Amino acid sequence: MSCCGKARNRSLSIQVGPSGKGKAGFSSCVGDPENVEALVALAILDLQNNDASGIRRGMEKMQRAFETYPYCAMALNYLANHFFFTGQHFLVEQLTETALAVTTHGPTKSHSYYNLARSYHSKGDYEKAGMYYMASVKESNKPHEFVLPYYGLGQVQLKLGDLRSSQANFEKVLEVYPESYETVKALAHIYVQLGQTEKAQEYLKKATKIDPRDPQAFLDIGELLISNDPAAALEAFKTARNLLKKSNEEVPIELLNNIGVLHFERGEFELATQSFKEALGDGIWLKFLDAKGESDDPISEGHLYSNGEARSDMFKSAQYPINASESVQQYKDFQLFHRLEEQGISVELPWNKVSTLFNMARLLEQLHDTETASIFYRLILFKYPGYVDAYLRLAAIAKARNNVQLSIELIGDALKVDEKCPDALLMLGDLELKNDDWVKAKETFRAAKDATDGNDSYATLCLGNWNYFAAIRNEKRAPKLEATHLEKAKELYTKVLFQHNANLYAANGAGVVLAEKGQFDISKDLFTQVQEAASGNVFVQMPDVWINLAHVHFAQGNFSLAVKMYENCLRKFYHNTDSQVLLYLARTHYEAEQWQDCKKTLLRAIHLAPSNYTLRFDSGVALQKFSASTLQKTKRTVDEVRATVAELKNAVRLFSLLSAASNLHVHGFDEKKIETHVGYCKHLLEAAKVHCEAAEREDQQNKQRLELARQVILAEENRRKAEEQRKYQLERRKQEDELKQVMQQEQHLERIKEQWKSSTPASKRKDRPQTEDDEGGHGEKRRKKGGKRRKRDKKSHYESEEAEAEMDDQEEMDDGDLHRNYEEPYYPTNDHDDQAEDNPQELLAAAGLEDSDAEDDTAAPSANASRRRQALSESDEDEPLRRQGSDGEGGDNAVVDDDE
């Protein structure tokens, strides 16, 4: 027994994974039945194996130790731990209380307190659990020795809302186990509640790195980022969905719904539709979604339901009613679903798919399929009549179709479910304000504000709108009262901005009040900021801020910018189909004196709202103003005057139509004022006739003057062309004559060459015997001449080449003479030919081929040169006659015969 007494005063310290010798030593001690410490040590070794057989053997040994000595604190703690996992909490409490009573060892008491704390923790008694966790922490006081009570204490404190203390305990756990996944996630959750989103995001990213295959961490990241970073949240949600699909786990409907909503906010409507359909699965909604496509597909007409009935047009007729009265009342009709149930078609809607179906209906509204959206809202109300948001969406659809009465009825149905619903009250007040029921609207807005204890910013905003509309009502009011309402509206808008500085509607209202007070620059800056902020959000549709900005440009005289803003607003928000914005645009054209554009814009508005007589009146005024401005011009064409007459007739017809209307006062028209316009238009019409006659006369005169000027210009053009033609003919004739002269000179020179070649050798041969017969003193002279002739014969070979060169020079001189004597008449004769026949030497001189060495020539060189010039000038004149002589008598032969 002494051994057991010692065991109560000391603790065992067993390390995991002892050596074989240590285990053998403990086993040898087990032979002593009173050695409890050895049994406990061996039991701990068996429990560390983490297999079923080892745990069974370890617990048997612990039980033997407990039976041997029931006051062994170590055995009591392990047995309490075992019974905790088996759910026997009363045994846990008894064993741990006994262990605490029999030991004073700090670590052992810490384990005992921990077992007792988590037993109460599992039962939901967080106060006692926290107390015992704290006791366990105080006993150990060293997280590195025993960290589990710190984790449990952090959990309890987090549950009780003590975030700072819980954060401190989890951080101590993280110091010991920096890769503890659950601790990291718990700290991230704490930082989220403390508002430290960046710190929370850091810990969640760390958790995904520790375990990248856990989809819950990505879900937490997505929920954390969904408000400030939707793109990153969408990626996190998609990652979680993919991880769940890879592990063959079911993807939660909430996750798919969140993915669809984020796609919806980003304007990715196709992807949003896919996510919502995947979340909804099979159901009656798919039949409505596919009804239009199946009705257009001829193959689907013969498709049968499971009960054998042919597919009818019930779904299509429910979506697109033919009767107009049915289309008005369909928003409150639930008979469709009763008929479907009678045909055996399931109309079930699980509660966890209600929000997703509601979001799908909102998406269809955004895609302008309001009929199918209204069916989904009615399906929700058919299965869950207390779903107030469905009533409000149906009321919003009715309001968009200008069915104010039906919208009020639907809001009344919502108030029957929740009479203090602030959203319903605010919608009702807005409709009452639209109906010009000012007193009821103000009471409704105040009721909505009281329902939220004055904390609803939208209720405050609606009261600000009420004060603004009260200030600008058409009734005549005192300027002091108007200023009071504007100041009150500004105060309420400013209050909302202090509460929510990003409230675009409050900022827009403040800008409107400033514009009413004439502070256009400040209001324009406000409107521009609101416009930029609203452009990036698909859920925020604020055409009012575009219109207000255009109003400011109009008030400042920037008509072109105002026109651009109105047109952009029409195209972006109203698909160019809003008559009121078209009226604003027409007014801008009117002030800018763009009468034709004003008329065209008003005609578009009349086409959209044919029952709006105000638009017709404005159109008549625009035509009247256009006609008056045209007639006041100093210079106007007959076409302008004729167009003025036509427009005046249209204006008279419009005003006469309005004058004959029976409900003038309903539209706010004054009969006398209309008659005044009719009289003025008729007066302009009479004046226009006079102007038209004068314009026609002036136009006729202008036409005559233009015709005369045209004829003068045409005659001048013809004269110029004739002169150019004459000059061209003269130039052409001159070129032909010159060409003819050149050809004649060439032919003449060719004949001279031929004459020289044929006459010179024959004369030399016949002169030689005559000189031999001469007597006396003439013999010496003949010898000299004979020698000279022989010398010329020697030179004749190369002198012919010099003759050709000289003839080229002669041709240039002949060209010059031709130019000088172009207009002088000439009469060719045969004198030159006769001289050439009598003296062949002169022919050589005429051809420029005379012998420079002939010293005994009878004529002087100067005489030869003069004769040569005379021969050249005469040869030019005698060329035609020589050609005739050559053709008729063979001129070359005649020359040779004379010489012989």
Side-chain angles (χ1 to χ4, degrees):
M1 296 296 294
S2 61
C3 179
C4 292
K6 293 180 182 178
R8 287 195 295 269
N9 295 324
R10 67 177 184 269
S11 63
L12 289 171
S13 178
I14 305 297
Q15 294 183 354
V16 178
S19 63
K21 293 182 178 181
K23 188 173 183 180
F26 287 133
S27 299
S28 64
C29 293
V30 176
D32 185 1
E34 295 184 355
N35 195 339
V36 178
E37 295 171 340
L39 281 173
V40 172
L42 287 174
I44 292 174
L45 292 176
D46 290 333
L47 292 174
Q48 294 295 332
N49 290 331
N50 290 327
D51 56 2
S53 59
I55 293 173
R56 187 181 304 108
R57 290 194 305 269
M59 293 312 302
E60 290 175 354
K61 292 174 182 177
M62 284 291 183
Q63 186 176 0
R64 286 172 55 194
F66 175 74
E67 292 173 352
T68 303
Y69 184 68
Y71 300 107
C72 178
M74 185 68 67
L76 292 172
N77 283 336
Y78 274 95
L79 288 172
N81 182 66
H82 172 73
F83 289 122
F84 171 78
F85 287 107
T86 60
Q88 297 172 292
H89 295 288
F90 65 95
L91 292 177
V92 175
E93 294 171 6
Q94 290 180 1
L95 292 171
T96 52
E97 288 175 357
T98 303
L100 288 171
V102 299
T103 185
T104 58
H105 185 254
T108 305
K109 291 181 69 176
S110 177
H111 280 76
S112 300
Y113 281 126
Y114 173 72
N115 287 332
L116 190 59
R118 64 178 179 167
S119 176
Y120 285 110
H121 191 176
S122 62
K123 294 191 297 184
D125 192 349
Y126 300 110
E127 295 291 340
K128 286 186 177 180
M131 180 179 65
Y132 286 117
Y133 279 134
M134 185 64 70
S136 176
V137 167
K138 289 180 179 179
E139 289 294 338
S140 65
N141 202 22
K142 291 181 180 179
H144 292 276
E145 293 181 358
F146 189 42
V147 76
L148 293 179
Y150 289 93
Y151 186 83
L153 182 59
Q155 286 180 316
V156 172
Q157 289 171 340
L158 180 61
K159 185 68 177 180
L160 295 176
D162 190 359
L163 299 178
R164 294 295 182 182
S165 301
S166 176
Q167 174 190 350
N169 286 305
F170 281 126
E171 287 177 350
K172 290 179 181 178
V173 175
L174 206 61
E175 291 176 0
V176 180
Y177 296 104
E179 300 296 321
S180 175
Y181 179 70
E182 296 295 335
T183 306
V184 171
K185 288 177 62 178
L187 280 171
H189 181 69
I190 291 172
Y191 283 119
V192 169
Q193 292 186 330
L194 291 174
Q196 302 178 15
T197 55
E198 294 182 359
K199 198 75 174 177
Q201 185 177 350
E202 177 185 348
Y203 275 96
L204 285 174
K205 288 182 178 179
K206 183 178 179 180
T208 57
K209 291 180 180 178
I210 295 173
D211 188 3
R213 292 178 295 179
D214 183 16
Q216 186 60 43
F218 290 99
L219 285 173
D220 294 337
I221 290 178
E223 292 176 357
L224 176 64
L225 298 175
I226 198 169
S227 58
N228 55 5
D229 192 354
L234 180 60
E235 292 299 323
F237 284 143
K238 286 182 178 179
T239 304
R241 180 188 61 185
N242 295 335
L243 290 173
L244 289 170
K245 288 183 177 181
K246 286 182 180 179
S247 59
N248 294 324
E249 297 182 27
E250 183 181 358
V251 182
I253 294 176
E254 294 79 6
L255 174 58
L256 295 172
N257 179 72
N258 291 341
I259 292 174
V261 170
L262 289 173
H263 280 305
F264 185 17
E265 290 181 349
R266 290 162 60 90
E268 301 167 350
F269 299 134
E270 290 294 333
L271 296 175
T273 303
Q274 295 175 7
S275 297
F276 289 145
K277 284 184 177 180
E278 184 180 357
L280 288 171
D282 295 332
I284 188 66
W285 41 84
L286 290 181
K287 296 181 176 62
F288 287 106
L289 290 173
D290 300 336
K292 186 177 185 301
E294 291 177 354
S295 64
D296 295 337
D297 187 3
I299 300 176
S300 65
E301 293 179 358
H303 183 74
L304 299 178
Y305 284 120
S306 59
N307 59 2
E309 296 179 2
R311 182 180 298 275
S312 64
D313 293 334
M314 180 179 296
F315 297 105
K316 184 179 178 182
S317 62
Q319 288 173 286
Y320 308 102
I322 299 175
N323 193 343
S325 61
E326 292 180 2
S327 66
V328 172
Q329 296 298 327
Q330 65 176 341
Y331 300 132
K332 300 180 67 176
D333 181 23
F334 299 98
Q335 294 300 320
L336 167 66
F337 306 108
H338 292 293
R339 292 195 298 270
L340 292 174
E341 288 180 338
E342 291 173 359
Q343 291 187 4
I345 301 174
S346 176
V347 196
E348 293 298 324
L349 177 60
W351 64 269
N352 59 343
K353 295 183 179 180
V354 174
S355 297
T356 306
L357 185 61
F358 181 85
N359 292 335
M360 185 69 186
R362 284 288 295 114
L363 175 60
L364 291 172
E365 277 191 74
Q366 193 70 24
L367 295 174
H368 307 290
D369 190 1
T370 55
E371 305 300 337
T372 308
S374 67
I375 292 176
F376 287 171
Y377 292 137
R378 281 182 284 157
L379 176 60
I380 293 172
L381 292 174
F382 179 71
K383 303 301 292 185
Y384 302 94
Y387 203 89
V388 176
D389 288 340
Y391 283 114
L392 299 182
R393 290 314 309 167
L394 287 172
I397 294 174
K399 178 186 175 183
R401 294 192 170 188
N402 289 325
N403 195 339
V404 178
Q405 186 60 37
L406 179 59
S407 181
I408 291 175
E409 292 177 5
L410 290 167
I411 294 173
D413 294 338
L415 290 173
K416 291 177 183 177
V417 178
D418 184 5
E419 62 180 7
K420 292 186 178 181
C421 177
D423 294 336
L425 290 171
L426 292 170
M427 283 189 69
L428 180 60
D430 186 48
L431 291 172
E432 290 171 346
L433 192 62
K434 191 173 183 179
N435 275 345
D436 207 18
D437 196 347
W438 295 84
V439 178
K440 283 187 178 181
K442 187 174 183 179
E443 292 176 356
T444 305
F445 288 144
R446 285 181 176 176
K449 187 177 181 180
D450 295 338
T452 57
D453 297 329
N455 296 324
D456 191 285
S457 58
Y458 187 67
T460 307
L461 184 65
C462 289
L463 284 173
N465 293 339
W466 185 91
N467 281 278
Y468 169 72
F469 287 119
I472 63 170
R473 289 182 67 182
N474 292 330
E475 292 86 352
K476 293 182 179 180
R477 290 181 175 272
K480 184 177 181 181
L481 187 61
E482 179 181 348
T484 302
H485 281 299
L486 286 175
E487 192 62 32
K488 183 65 176 177
K490 181 182 177 182
E491 178 184 345
L492 292 170
Y493 291 141
T494 306
K495 181 179 179 181
V496 174
L497 287 173
F498 275 122
Q499 294 175 351
H500 305 282
N501 56 3
N503 192 310
L504 301 180
Y505 298 96
N508 180 60
V512 169
V513 173
L514 292 172
E516 289 291 339
K517 292 184 176 182
Q519 302 177 13
F520 297 119
D521 292 333
I522 301 175
S523 63
K524 185 167 64 175
D525 293 339
L526 270 176
F527 291 143
T528 303
Q529 294 179 19
V530 173
Q531 181 190 26
E532 293 174 355
S535 298
N537 194 338
V538 70
F539 287 109
V540 180
Q541 298 290 332
M542 291 189 66
D544 293 345
V545 70
W546 292 66
I547 296 173
N548 292 334
L549 193 56
H551 286 345
V552 172
H553 288 307
F554 175 83
Q556 291 182 329
N558 298 326
F559 299 123
S560 59
L561 291 177
V563 168
K564 185 176 181 180
M565 291 300 299
Y566 287 132
E567 290 177 346
N568 290 338
C569 179
L570 273 170
R571 182 176 58 256
K572 183 178 179 64
F573 299 102
Y574 299 108
H575 306 284
N576 295 317
T577 58
D578 188 89
S579 60
Q580 187 64 36
V581 181
L582 285 172
L583 181 59
Y584 297 149
L585 181 59
R587 183 190 61 173
T588 307
H589 286 309
Y590 182 86
E591 293 296 333
E593 298 184 357
Q594 299 169 353
W595 316 115
Q596 292 298 322
D597 292 333
C598 177
K599 183 189 74 171
K600 292 177 182 178
T601 306
L602 287 171
L603 289 177
R604 288 171 58 191
I606 292 172
H607 177 74
L608 294 170
S611 61
N612 190 339
Y613 282 80
T614 303
L615 298 175
R616 298 176 184 271
F617 179 82
D618 293 339
S619 180
V621 172
L623 294 177
Q624 173 186 312
K625 190 68 177 177
F626 165 71
S627 302
S629 63
T630 304
L631 294 177
Q632 290 174 359
K633 289 182 178 179
T634 56
K635 293 183 179 180
R636 52 192 174 274
T637 63
V638 65
D639 293 332
E640 291 178 344
V641 178
R642 288 171 182 170
T644 301
V645 172
E647 299 293 12
L648 281 173
K649 291 179 179 179
N650 290 333
V652 171
R653 185 170 62 252
L654 279 172
F655 288 129
S656 300
L657 176 65
L658 294 175
S659 178
S662 59
N663 52 354
L664 297 175
H665 297 288
V666 175
H667 299 288
F669 297 142
D670 186 1
E671 187 174 359
K672 292 182 179 180
K673 186 175 182 180
I674 293 177
E675 291 177 355
T676 303
H677 281 286
V678 172
Y680 182 67
C681 289
K682 289 181 178 180
H683 170 70
L684 288 176
L685 193 58
E686 294 295 330
K689 291 180 180 179
V690 178
H691 288 292
C692 185
E693 294 175 357
E696 288 179 351
R697 289 194 301 269
E698 185 178 355
D699 183 66
Q700 187 66 25
Q701 294 174 0
N702 289 334
K703 286 182 179 179
Q704 293 177 356
R705 285 196 297 270
L706 290 174
E707 180 64 22
L708 180 60
R710 189 184 67 82
Q711 292 178 358
V712 171
I713 293 173
L714 185 61
E716 181 66 23
E717 183 69 17
N718 292 334
R719 188 194 63 77
R720 184 182 62 79
K721 289 182 178 180
E723 182 67 20
E724 290 179 354
Q725 185 68 19
R726 187 182 67 81
K727 290 181 179 180
Y728 173 75
Q729 293 294 338
L730 288 175
E731 185 68 23
R732 184 178 178 183
R733 191 178 298 114
K734 180 180 179 180
Q735 292 177 357
E736 291 177 352
D737 293 341
E738 290 177 355
L739 182 61
K740 185 176 180 181
Q741 292 294 329
V742 171
M743 294 176 64
Q744 290 175 355
Q745 292 296 328
E746 291 178 354
Q747 292 174 1
H748 174 64
L749 292 175
E750 289 294 330
R751 283 195 303 272
I752 292 175
K753 288 181 180 180
E754 293 296 330
Q755 291 175 4
W756 178 76
K757 288 180 181 179
S758 60
S759 61
T760 302
S763 61
K764 287 183 178 181
R765 288 193 301 270
K766 291 180 179 181
D767 288 343
R768 189 177 295 116
Q770 293 178 2
T771 54
E772 291 177 357
D773 294 335
D774 290 340
E775 294 178 357
H778 298 285
E780 186 67 24
K781 186 177 181 179
R782 284 197 302 270
R783 283 194 296 270
K784 291 181 181 179
K785 290 183 178 178
K788 292 179 181 178
R789 288 174 181 168
R790 286 193 296 269
K791 189 176 181 179
R792 283 198 297 270
D793 292 337
K794 293 179 183 179
K795 292 180 183 180
S796 62
H797 175 69
Y798 60 86
E799 285 177 353
S800 62
E801 296 180 356
E802 293 179 359
E804 292 178 1
E806 290 179 1
M807 281 192 289
D808 293 337
D809 296 337
Q810 185 65 31
E811 289 178 3
E812 294 179 0
M813 294 175 63
D814 292 342
D815 291 340
D817 294 337
L818 284 174
H819 287 293
R820 287 191 299 271
N821 301 324
Y822 176 71
E823 295 182 354
E824 297 179 1
Y826 60 92
Y827 304 96
T829 61
N830 292 328
D831 297 337
H832 179 71
D833 292 338
D834 296 337
Q835 293 175 4
E837 292 174 358
D838 296 337
N839 192 358
Q841 195 67 28
E842 292 180 1
L843 292 175
L844 293 176
L849 301 176
E850 70 275 11
D851 190 2
S852 59
D853 298 329
E855 299 176 355
D856 54 350
D857 290 342
T858 57
S862 60
N864 291 334
S866 63
R867 282 198 305 272
R868 184 166 57 250
R869 285 195 296 271
Q870 182 178 0
L872 286 174
S873 62
E874 290 177 354
S875 65
D876 294 339
E877 297 176 356
D878 295 344
E879 179 61 25
L881 186 59
R882 287 179 179 177
R883 185 181 302 171
Q884 294 176 2
S886 175
D887 294 338
E889 299 177 359
D892 293 340
N893 294 330
V895 172
V896 173
D897 292 341
D898 285 339
D899 291 346
E900 290 178 356

